[in-house]
Amino acid sequence: VNAIIGSGIFLFPGLLAREAGPASILAFLICGILLLAVALCYAELGSMYSRNGGSYVYAKEAFGSILGFGVGWISWVTAIFSWAAVANAVSSYLGYFHPFFGTAPAEKCIALLLIAGFGTINYRGIKPGARVVNVLTVAKVLPLLLFVLAGSFFINGAYFRPFWGAGTGSFSYAVFLALWALQGFETTPIPSGESQNPQKAVPIA
């Protein structure tokens, strides 16, 4: 939950709306349907292995050590870029409250503090990391639910007209952008060896 609900959920609806207008709602839906097949593959593979590693383990078992190493390396590099993007997103949010946070030095310092802080918590062990993840999950899901609840009173059919062609970009690009908001499930099996019953827990997750 914490891997999926993040900067993509809070930041990307506005970007998608700019690209495709009200049709951006369908962009999320179509992207989700396309990713469902991938998610089901991860669930199936998660039920077969109980070791840490996720994609690395699956690729190694299927294609050998060399390709497994390549997939693991790409996954690791992708994770680093993802951390950097999320850290920069936090900086951009803070810039809304005070111009100082929008300056380049402040953005980099905030990103560095976030990554170093979470890295330290992770280094201390699974339990401290799990507690922080639980707190962050509640801290993100609760405002999102409140936002949806409050926003439901302001739904107006006029906002959805015209449904197509209201954006400044393309619908296919909006579907592509929705990937950032909907991916994250692939990180679930990486620490599977730390859970009590990974072959049951990972597919459910």
Side-chain angles (χ1 to χ4, degrees), residues 156-173:
N156 187 334
Y159 299 150
F160 296 90
R161 292 191 295 267
F163 190 78
W164 294 102
T168 58
S170 68
F171 180 77
S172 58
Y173 186 56

Side-chain angles (χ1 to χ4, degrees), residues 9-191:
I9 297 296
F10 291 101
L11 189 64
F12 271 65
L15 298 177
L16 266 66
R18 184 181 65 194
E19 288 292 323
S24 59
I25 297 169
L26 289 181
F28 275 114
L29 180 64
I30 291 171
C31 187
I33 292 170
L34 292 172
L35 281 178
L36 184 61
V38 183
L40 289 173
C41 288
Y42 272 93
E44 176 68 19
L45 289 165
S47 70
M48 297 167 62
Y49 300 98
S50 59
R51 305 195 305 275
N52 288 344
S55 300
Y56 159 73
V57 172
Y58 309 152
K60 180 183 176 184
E61 292 295 326
F63 305 110
S65 298
I66 295 175
L67 281 177
F69 175 81
V71 169
W73 181 258
I74 291 171
S75 299
W76 187 69
V77 170
T78 303
I80 291 175
F81 279 111
S82 176
W83 301 336
V86 171
N88 278 318
V90 171
S91 302
S92 67
Y93 289 145
L94 291 174
Y96 174 81
F97 297 102
H98 195 280
F100 168 75
F101 295 111
T103 62
E107 286 183 359
K108 303 312 172 194
C109 287
I110 292 167
L112 179 62
L113 287 172
L114 283 171
I115 293 173
F118 287 130
T120 302
I121 294 169
N122 194 50
Y123 176 77
R124 290 179 62 85
I126 289 292
K127 287 187 178 180
R131 291 190 197 102
V132 172
V133 166
N134 289 339
V135 170
L136 289 176
T137 300
V138 173
K140 288 193 291 188
V141 172
L142 189 59
L144 191 61
L145 291 175
L146 291 173
F147 178 78
V148 171
L149 182 64
S152 63
F153 293 100
F154 297 92
I155 295 174
N156 187 334
Y159 299 150
F160 296 90
R161 292 191 295 267
F163 190 78
W164 294 102
T168 58
S170 68
F171 180 77
S172 58
Y173 186 56
V175 173
F176 173 74
L177 284 179
L179 276 169
W180 176 259
L182 297 177
Q183 57 85 36
F185 55 82
E186 71 282 355
T187 65
T188 302
I190 292 175

